[in-house]
Amino acid sequence: ASLLVALLVLTSCSGRTERDGVERNALTSVTCDALMSSSKRRRAILTSNGLSNEGIRQEFVRLVKLRTDPGKARVVYVPDALVADGYTFSKALVDEFRRSLRGTGVVASNVASVELASSTKEEVQVALEGADVVYVECGNTFFLHYHMVQKDFKALLDPLLDQGVVYVGSSAGSIAAGKTASIATWKGWDDPTVVPKIPYEGLAVLGDKSFFPHYNPQWKSLVESKRPTLDHEVITLTDNQCYSSDESGERLRG
């Protein structure tokens, strides 16, 4: 009988987004919320190059729709890694990101941004309030990770992810999302001297997994030699792939 009740409640929960405004009776609401919160699988898309192809864009839209109507989705853009690579944090930079979302249904005016390096923890917290998507840009992983730690970004982000907010990582944003950001040391592409050295503990967005973006056969022997030095799984991502996660499971696409 209890199994039947659970199945009926899950059916009543399905087909609705968290923010669609549909009223549920008190019992169903509480039960749905309890069942949803009991799942520890989060919504995320980890990539090498952001929303760079149609398959990844479709996956992005699919995950956003689990949260809300894309036209209502509030996206918070974190550009720090790109700024460390010489770009200026400006309206022009954010507008360029807004243009990259064309065709997804996301409205440009619903895209906000926060630069961790120049913000206080309180300002970052305010910026994240009401977010449906947190998009963390590519660039220098060490700079990004350092300022995430300085602003206690993980503590601010975790409750949002547990409530169904979608995390999107592009390159550095994907490395920082892993259990360890030390993956950034493997290829040697990023300059670690731009910030003081600190432990490489990552956001662990998907638990005991780390991510190696821009993978191709050139890096096969490197990855195989480095993997045993870690106590958890390392997922490689080519420039055309994404690793996505939601309540239904985790998958490598592309």
Side-chain angles (χ1 to χ4, degrees):
S2 61
L3 177 59
L4 177 60
V5 171
L7 289 172
L8 289 172
V9 171
L10 283 170
T11 301
S12 71
C13 291
S14 65
R16 300 174 179 175
T17 62
E18 287 96 341
R19 300 179 60 215
D20 61 5
V22 175
E23 291 186 3
R24 297 172 291 180
N25 65 59
L27 176 61
T28 303
S29 178
V30 170
T31 310
C32 284
D33 291 343
L35 287 170
M36 289 293 290
S37 64
S38 69
S39 172
K40 294 185 179 180
R41 187 171 284 120
R42 293 167 164 181
R43 297 170 184 163
I45 305 178
L46 291 316
T47 75
S48 293
N49 292 315
L51 309 183
S52 58
N53 62 53
E54 189 58 30
I56 295 175
R57 292 170 71 82
Q58 289 178 4
E59 185 68 357
F60 170 77
V61 172
R62 186 184 72 81
L63 289 195
V64 172
K65 284 182 176 179
L66 294 176
R67 172 71 176 173
T68 188
D69 182 324
K72 299 177 182 177
R74 182 172 183 271
V75 179
V76 178
Y77 177 58
V78 181
D80 287 70
L82 197 58
V83 172
D85 271 359
Y87 291 80
T88 301
F89 179 49
S90 62
K91 182 179 182 298
L93 181 65
V94 180
D95 283 346
E96 181 66 26
F97 171 68
R98 290 186 174 110
R99 284 191 287 273
S100 75
L101 296 175
R102 287 176 179 172
T104 65
V106 173
V107 178
S109 59
N110 289 341
V111 177
S113 60
V114 60
E115 184 184 30
L116 305 181
S118 63
S119 303
T120 65
K121 177 181 177 180
E122 291 72 24
E123 289 169 337
V124 175
Q125 184 172 18
V126 169
L128 292 174
E129 289 178 358
D132 297 300
V133 178
V134 177
Y135 187 109
V136 183
E137 188 59 278
C138 63
N140 189 301
T141 307
F142 300 105
F143 186 87
L144 171 66
H145 172 257
Y146 177 82
H147 289 288
M148 282 181 166
V149 172
Q150 294 303 301
K151 303 304 154 60
D152 207 9
F153 190 70
K154 178 174 171 58
L156 299 176
L157 182 67
D158 277 345
L160 302 180
L161 299 181
D162 291 339
Q163 293 162 18
V165 170
V166 180
Y167 180 98
V168 182
S170 175
S171 193
S174 295
I175 297 175
K179 183 177 180 180
T180 176
S182 67
I183 304 297
T185 67
W186 289 13
K187 288 199 296 277
W189 283 6
D190 297 352
D191 179 7
T193 67
V194 296
V195 288
K197 185 175 181 179
I198 59 174
Y200 290 133
E201 180 181 357
L203 298 174
V205 168
L206 298 182
D208 289 347
K209 293 182 178 70
S210 289
F211 301 90
F212 184 100
H214 305 294
Y215 178 81
N216 62 47
Q218 171 189 356
W219 305 113
K220 181 179 179 180
S221 60
L222 173 68
V223 172
E224 289 178 348
S225 67
K226 293 285 190 179
R227 267 181 170 147
T229 67
L230 300 177
D231 62 356
H232 59 276
E233 183 179 5
V234 177
I235 296 170
T236 60
L237 299 167
T238 70
D239 285 355
N240 296 316
Q241 290 178 320
C242 72
Y243 189 84
S244 72
S245 170
D246 60 54
E247 296 88 332
S248 66
E250 299 181 10
R251 61 206 64 84
L252 184 66
R253 295 191 181 276

